[in-house]
Amino acid sequence: QVQMIESGGGLVQPGGSLRLSCAASGRSFSRDVMAWFRQTPGKEREFVAAIHWNAEITWTADSVKGRFTISRDNARNTVYLRMDNLKSEDTAAYYCAATTSAEILNRASYDTWGQGTQVTVSS
């Protein structure tokens, strides 16, 4: 069974940090672009960050640029999201996803999704 499972979410104070992990299984994801999206109630799922299969190219949304860093370990079939200087507006359910498409920023291009991990930023 192809599966992606997120972990590492939780409650953190503004200015704090979290590291999300997404463990993929069921097949090799070493040639996939892997990405993080987030979603809050009443809004569509939005792009956060993505990383090329060779890890030499990354993309980040303007809203998180300079604060979030995406990385991957292909030997472990795992993608990470390091989140620093968290703000209240970062509160959301965070989802990992994978695609072989070149449309990196297009949510519809991702075929495999995790179930999400909640990040809440509050004092």
Side-chain angles (χ1 to χ4, degrees), residues 84-96:
D84 294 314
N85 192 24
L86 283 160
K87 304 175 180 180
S88 60
E89 52 262 44
D90 296 317
T91 296
Y94 283 73
Y95 299 84
C96 62

Side-chain angles (χ1 to χ4, degrees), residues 6-40:
E6 302 95 337
S7 63
L11 176 64
V12 64
Q13 295 184 9
S17 298
L18 284 173
R19 188 197 191 202
L20 305 184
S21 298
C22 174
S25 61
R27 65 171 177 88
S28 174
F29 288 78
S30 61
R31 294 287 180 165
D32 286 46
V33 170
M34 302 184 77
W36 290 92
F37 289 75
R38 66 186 182 187
Q39 187 170 27
T40 56

Side-chain angles (χ1 to χ4, degrees), residues 40-88:
T40 56
K43 296 183 178 180
E44 294 187 355
R45 199 166 296 183
E46 67 173 345
F47 174 81
V48 176
I51 185 166
H52 192 267
W53 63 267
N54 66 5
E56 295 180 356
I57 303 173
T58 61
W59 301 261
T60 55
D62 288 342
S63 59
V64 304
K65 192 168 296 182
R67 299 188 297 118
F68 290 12
T69 303
I70 189 169
S71 61
R72 68 190 294 165
D73 183 346
N74 285 343
R76 298 177 61 194
N77 252 8
T78 301
V79 63
Y80 306 93
L81 185 68
R82 170 77 185 201
M83 304 183 294
D84 294 314
N85 192 24
L86 283 160
K87 304 175 180 180
S88 60

